[in-house]
Amino acid sequence: MSDSLEQAKARAESLRGQINEYNYQYYVLDAPTVPDAQYDRDMQELISIEKQFPELQSVSSPSQKVGGSALSAFEQVTHEVPMLSLDNAFDDVSLLAFEKRIYDRLKDNKALSFSCEPKLDGLAVSILYENGEMVRAATRGDGQVGENITTNVRTIANVPLKLRGENYPSRLEVRGEVFMPKKGFEALNDYQRANDGKVFANPRNAAAGSLRQLDSKVTAKRPLMFYAYSLGVVTPEDFELPRYHSARLAQLGDWGIPLCPDIDTAEGGKGCLEYYQRILTLRDDLPYDIDGVVFKVDDISVQQTLGFVARAPRWAIAQKFPAQEEITKLLDVEFQVGRTGAITPVARLEPVFVGGVTVSNATLHNQDEIDRLGVKVGDYVIIRRAGDVIPQVVSVVQAKRDDNVKDIVFPTDCPVCGSNVEKLEDEAVARCTGGLICAAQRKQALKHFASRKAFDIDGLGDKLVDQLVDADLVHSPADFFNLKLGDVVGLERMAEKSAAKLLLSLEASKATTLAKFLYALGIREVGEATAANLAMHFETLEAIRSASEDELIEVQDVGAIVAAHLHNFFNEPHNTDVIDALLEAGIHWPAIEKKPQSALPLDGQTCVVTGILSEMGRSDVKAKLQLLGAKVAGSVSKNTSFLVAGEKAGSKLTKAQELDVEVWDEATLLAFLAEHD
């Protein structure tokens, strides 16, 4: 035996062993360890070796069969007609070569029509109907023998247990794909996380895991769907079916079998390529995952003429989309700070081509996700990129982990400004507490500070804030009040007159209220109403700054989470430095004359605000009503004192009328507020 043949034999044996292991992990355990792109590469290499050295071909090679053996926990089902796989095309050239092979075999260049179908990324199943009633369902398994999953398939909402109409064959085997729609997948994972369950890597894994549950009650709770794509056994054999595959699918639809809404037909290879590009463009907007499209010669008689090779029909091919998953090495983790202070770990990767682009970064979301994945620096990981979605780490390839990996340590101080990092017990996201000083949050904090409901600085819009920050003139809100005419003149659309007007607006804004000052600081979850309640409760800024969390919780509408945000904010030295600088710049407000609660006009009353108000925002209205002693609720009940109803008030107004609750229109509200201003 020559050296080249010996080397080819060794490589082929190695590939067969590896692919068999992939198949076992994918089809039997539902726990694939490599992305589809790696599987495809290994399979293509094996097929190439066997073509180059025919003497190495073997009936036991994974290139000659599909999938793996059936799970022993299920009864085995032998397919009367084998469920074969499809050959793959990975580019336009391969697809056109497929078309040419058909014409060469037929010895006819007459244009052919093709049935075009999205290649659903789920689990292939066979469903058998006898006399119109479903009697059995099975997985594809190894193509010859599958698993009996009848009880589970019966629970799938869109699978009919009885066919529609009467004119159907006595035995009809429908083949198709069980899959999980994207929205259902997201909802399932949300539920799993909330209940400390297994989080699935992708919809395909979720569908396979759900369909192979031994307890069908579990399957029934999973949002599975089924779309048919072909027929298996049909008896009597002379039952008159349509001549074309696309028409047969339509016939299945008439019998109540669900079909993918995006199937179509195309003329020739050129038409197929146009369909491929159209579906590729729509891919990210489709409600289900696909990894390519399938083209089948539409004329059944031509299919029969072309026949089969060992593992696939000659009349069909799957053109795969660019891989959305790949394997690469995680080199390091850096921590980025977002505009709201959220700290996000970002994986730095060995560059890899995936989803049509070269990817070198991927998100790890938060500490909880790092813990769930069990990922470490130095690991080999599978990353996924779908369309414009930020690439993310899906799983760790544990088999490739070595002793040099390192734990990922989340920072306790902000990597941008050095402020403390806050992570509340019930929240997944860690955040920088230096909202007034952190450069990553700077523009958003400054824009909020100058906004109408905060300091209401006339002429200081978002674009001017951007310019001031970009020119390195403003780093914190206190810097607004140190601006000089020469600093502002020369900025875009800022002549001397406009600059002078802005400085006058800044000076005028120094006179404010304690409630607006607190709101302007941008403390998490402290809106106008909460700021107003804090001001009325404590009366002074110093009292608020020195309050404990327990004391803060005593304020109306302040719960444990908001109290923690307040306490952390006022105990961050960077924030207190800015607050002191604002006070030194001349920010002031009148002392609060606190009235006894019993003296407030709405003491003891509960109100609800609904509908569209033209003069004031609903949050402003709620804040003013609370300052006057009212408790503002979210729904109308028999305990509601009055309802403020703007335009399009809807069901709350109806409920108030049914309960004979007093209703105020906007004019009544404004008159009341003016009277008690």
Side-chain angles (χ1 to χ4, degrees), residues 127-371:
I127 304 176
L128 181 64
Y129 291 87
E130 292 184 351
N131 298 317
E133 294 190 2
M134 177 184 161
V135 296
R136 190 185 69 204
T139 64
R140 178 166 59 186
D142 64 2
Q144 300 290 334
V145 177
E147 307 140 0
N148 189 327
I149 53 169
T150 307
T151 304
N152 287 347
V153 171
R154 285 183 184 275
T155 70
I156 299 175
N158 75 333
V159 172
L161 300 181
K162 183 176 177 59
L163 298 178
R164 294 177 70 249
E166 296 180 354
N167 186 28
Y168 40 71
S170 59
R171 296 181 80 237
L172 174 71
E173 182 191 359
V174 180
R175 293 176 173 182
E177 200 87 359
V178 170
F179 63 97
M180 189 172 289
K182 293 175 182 176
K183 284 188 177 179
F185 167 71
E186 292 166 2
L188 173 61
N189 267 353
D190 287 343
Y191 175 84
Q192 295 293 97
R193 290 189 190 96
N195 292 275
D196 296 323
K198 173 186 176 182
V199 176
F200 295 96
N202 53 55
R204 191 269 163 198
N205 279 11
S210 300
L211 199 57
R212 284 182 167 138
Q213 292 289 327
L214 296 178
D215 183 354
S216 61
K217 293 190 293 295
V218 176
T219 305
K221 296 177 182 178
R222 302 286 173 84
L224 298 174
M225 292 185 68
F226 170 82
Y227 284 155
Y229 55 62
S230 70
L231 295 174
V233 173
V234 177
T235 54
E237 294 181 2
D238 60 354
F239 184 90
E240 188 173 349
L241 288 167
R243 173 182 173 183
Y244 295 96
H245 173 76
S246 57
R248 291 186 176 187
L249 291 181
Q251 177 64 76
L252 289 179
D254 292 341
W255 288 331
I257 303 296
L259 304 171
C260 177
D262 298 294
I263 58 177
D264 205 346
T265 57
E267 296 301 315
K270 183 179 179 182
C272 290
L273 292 178
E274 291 173 353
Y275 176 85
Y276 173 89
Q277 288 299 328
R278 176 161 62 87
I279 297 297
L280 178 58
T281 301
L282 296 173
R283 180 186 193 181
D284 298 323
D285 297 322
L286 294 174
Y288 46 80
D289 260 4
I290 58 176
D291 58 2
V293 295
V294 176
F295 301 114
K296 302 171 184 175
V297 172
D298 203 26
D299 191 322
I300 301 298
S301 63
V302 176
Q303 288 186 9
Q304 294 169 344
T305 299
L306 291 169
F308 298 80
V309 292
R311 62 186 293 271
R314 292 191 178 96
W315 41 265
I317 198 166
Q319 186 171 7
K320 303 292 285 289
F321 287 149
Q324 289 189 301
E325 291 186 350
E326 266 294 0
I327 185 170
T328 189
K329 189 173 185 178
L330 193 158
L331 302 176
D332 198 4
V333 173
E334 296 179 3
F335 294 90
Q336 294 182 346
V337 184
R339 60 188 181 86
T340 63
I343 297 177
T344 303
V346 177
R348 303 304 184 192
L349 310 165
E350 282 187 351
V352 62
F353 192 75
V354 58
V357 301
T358 298
V359 170
S360 55
N361 303 316
T363 180
L364 284 167
H365 297 292
N366 52 52
Q367 181 68 63
D368 290 350
E369 181 70 359
I370 291 172
D371 294 341

Side-chain angles (χ1 to χ4, degrees), residues 627-642:
L627 288 174
L628 295 173
K631 177 182 178 182
V632 181
S635 59
V636 176
S637 71
K638 64 181 180 180
N639 297 320
T640 303
S641 306
F642 63 91

